[in-house]
Coordinates of all heavy atoms in Angstrom, one line a residue:
P55 N -16.3 24.4 86.2 CA -17.3 25.1 87.2 C -18.5 24.3 87.4 O -19.1 23.7 86.4 CB -17.7 26.4 86.4 CG -17.2 26.3 85.0 CD -16.4 25.0 84.9
T56 N -19.0 24.1 88.7 CA -20.2 23.4 89.0 C -20.9 24.1 90.1 O -20.4 25.0 90.8 CB -19.9 21.9 89.6 OG1 -19.5 22.1 91.0 CG2 -18.7 21.2 88.8
M57 N -22.2 23.7 90.3 CA -22.9 24.2 91.5 C -23.1 23.0 92.4 O -23.9 23.2 93.3 CB -24.4 24.6 90.8 CG -24.2 25.7 90.0 SD -25.6 26.9 89.9 CE -26.8 25.8 89.4
G58 N -22.2 22.1 92.5 CA -22.2 21.0 93.5 C -23.4 20.0 93.3 O -23.8 20.0 92.2
H61 N -22.7 14.4 90.6 CA -23.1 13.2 90.0 C -22.1 12.7 89.0 O -21.1 13.4 88.6 CB -24.6 13.2 89.6 CG -24.8 14.4 88.6 ND1 -24.3 14.4 87.4 CD2 -25.5 15.4 88.8 CE1 -24.7 15.5 86.7 NE2 -25.4 16.2 87.6
G63 N -22.3 12.8 85.9 CA -22.3 13.7 84.7 C -21.0 14.7 85.0 O -20.0 14.8 84.2
H64 N -21.0 15.2 86.2 CA -19.8 16.1 86.6 C -18.5 15.3 86.6 O -17.5 15.8 86.1 CB -20.0 16.5 88.0 CG -21.2 17.5 88.2 ND1 -22.3 17.2 89.0 CD2 -21.5 18.7 87.8 CE1 -23.2 18.1 89.0 NE2 -22.7 19.0 88.4
S66 N -17.7 12.7 84.9 CA -17.2 12.5 83.4 C -16.4 13.7 82.9 O -15.4 13.5 82.2 CB -18.4 12.2 82.5 OG -19.1 13.4 82.2
L67 N -16.7 14.8 83.3 CA -16.0 16.1 82.9 C -14.6 16.0 83.6 O -13.6 16.4 82.9 CB -16.7 17.3 83.3 CG -17.8 18.0 82.5 CD1 -18.8 17.0 81.8 CD2 -18.4 19.1 82.9
Y98 N -32.2 24.4 95.8 CA -31.2 23.7 95.0 C -30.3 22.8 96.0 O -29.9 23.2 97.1 CB -30.2 24.7 94.4 CG -29.4 24.2 93.3 CD1 -30.0 24.0 92.0 CD2 -28.2 23.6 93.6 CE1 -29.3 23.3 91.1 CE2 -27.5 23.0 92.5 CZ -28.0 22.9 91.3 OH -27.3 22.3 90.3
Y174 N -14.1 22.7 80.8 CA -15.0 21.6 80.3 C -16.5 21.8 80.7 O -16.7 22.1 81.9 CB -14.5 20.3 80.9 CG -13.1 20.0 80.4 CD1 -11.9 20.5 80.8 CD2 -13.0 19.1 79.2 CE1 -10.7 20.2 80.4 CE2 -11.7 18.9 78.7 CZ -10.6 19.5 79.4 OH -9.4 19.2 78.7
F175 N -17.3 21.7 79.8 CA -18.8 21.9 80.0 C -19.5 20.8 79.4 O -19.2 20.2 78.4 CB -19.2 23.2 79.4 CG -18.7 24.4 80.1 CD1 -17.5 24.9 79.8 CD2 -19.4 25.2 81.1 CE1 -16.9 25.9 80.5 CE2 -18.9 26.2 81.9 CZ -17.6 26.7 81.4
G176 N -20.8 20.5 79.9 CA -21.6 19.4 79.4 C -22.5 19.8 78.3 O -23.1 20.9 78.3
K178 N -25.3 18.5 78.2 CA -26.6 18.6 78.9 C -27.0 20.0 78.8 O -28.3 20.2 78.7 CB -26.3 18.1 80.3 CG -27.4 18.5 81.4 CD -28.6 17.6 81.2 CE -29.6 17.8 82.3 NZ -29.6 19.2 82.9
D179 N -26.3 21.0 79.1 CA -26.6 22.4 79.0 C -26.1 23.0 77.6 O -25.2 23.8 77.6 CB -26.0 23.1 80.2 CG -26.6 22.6 81.5 OD1 -27.7 22.9 81.9 OD2 -25.9 21.6 82.2
Q182 N -25.9 26.7 77.2 CA -24.9 27.2 78.0 C -23.5 27.1 77.5 O -22.8 28.0 77.5 CB -25.0 26.6 79.4 CG -23.8 27.0 80.4 CD -24.1 26.4 81.7 OE1 -24.7 27.0 82.5 NE2 -23.4 25.3 81.9
P205 N -20.1 14.7 76.4 CA -21.4 14.2 76.2 C -22.4 14.1 77.4 O -21.8 14.2 78.5 CB -21.2 12.8 75.6 CG -19.6 12.6 75.7 CD -19.0 13.9 76.1
I206 N -23.6 14.0 77.1 CA -24.6 13.9 78.3 C -24.5 12.5 78.9 O -24.6 11.5 78.2 CB -26.0 14.1 77.7 CG1 -26.2 15.4 77.0 CG2 -27.1 14.0 78.9 CD1 -27.6 15.6 76.4
I207 N -24.3 12.4 80.3 CA -24.3 11.1 80.9 C -25.8 10.9 81.5 O -26.3 11.9 82.1 CB -23.4 11.2 82.2 CG1 -22.0 11.6 81.6 CG2 -23.4 9.9 82.9 CD1 -21.4 10.6 80.6
A214 N -31.5 12.3 81.8 CA -30.3 12.9 81.9 C -29.9 13.3 83.3 O -30.7 13.7 84.1 CB -30.2 14.2 81.1
M215 N -28.6 12.9 83.8 CA -28.3 13.2 85.1 C -28.3 14.7 85.4 O -27.9 15.5 84.5 CB -26.9 12.6 85.5 CG -26.9 11.2 85.6 SD -25.4 10.5 86.1 CE -25.7 8.7 86.0
S217 N -28.4 17.6 89.0 CA -28.5 17.6 90.5 C -29.8 17.8 91.0 O -30.2 17.4 92.1 CB -27.7 19.0 90.9 OG -26.3 18.9 90.4
Ligands
AMP426 P1 -24.1 22.2 87.1 O1 -23.4 21.8 88.5 O2 -25.4 21.8 86.9 O3 -24.0 23.8 87.0 O4 -23.2 21.5 86.0 C1 -21.8 21.7 85.9 C2 -21.3 21.2 84.7 O5 -21.6 19.8 84.5 C3 -22.0 21.9 83.4 O6 -21.1 22.1 82.5 C4 -23.1 20.9 83.0 O7 -23.3 21.0 81.7 C5 -22.3 19.5 83.3 N1 -23.3 18.5 83.5 C6 -24.4 18.5 84.3 N2 -25.2 17.4 84.1 C7 -24.5 16.7 83.2 C8 -24.7 15.4 82.5 N3 -25.7 14.7 82.8 N4 -23.9 15.0 81.6 C9 -22.8 15.6 81.3 N5 -22.4 16.8 81.9 C10 -23.3 17.3 82.8

Side-chain angles (χ1 to χ4, degrees):
T56 82
M57 298 207 297
H61 49 68
H64 298 110
S66 73
L67 271 52
Y98 198 83
Y174 295 82
F175 291 83
K178 159 78 170 33
D179 300 280
Q182 172 178 276
I206 303 175
I207 304 298
M215 288 192 185
S217 301

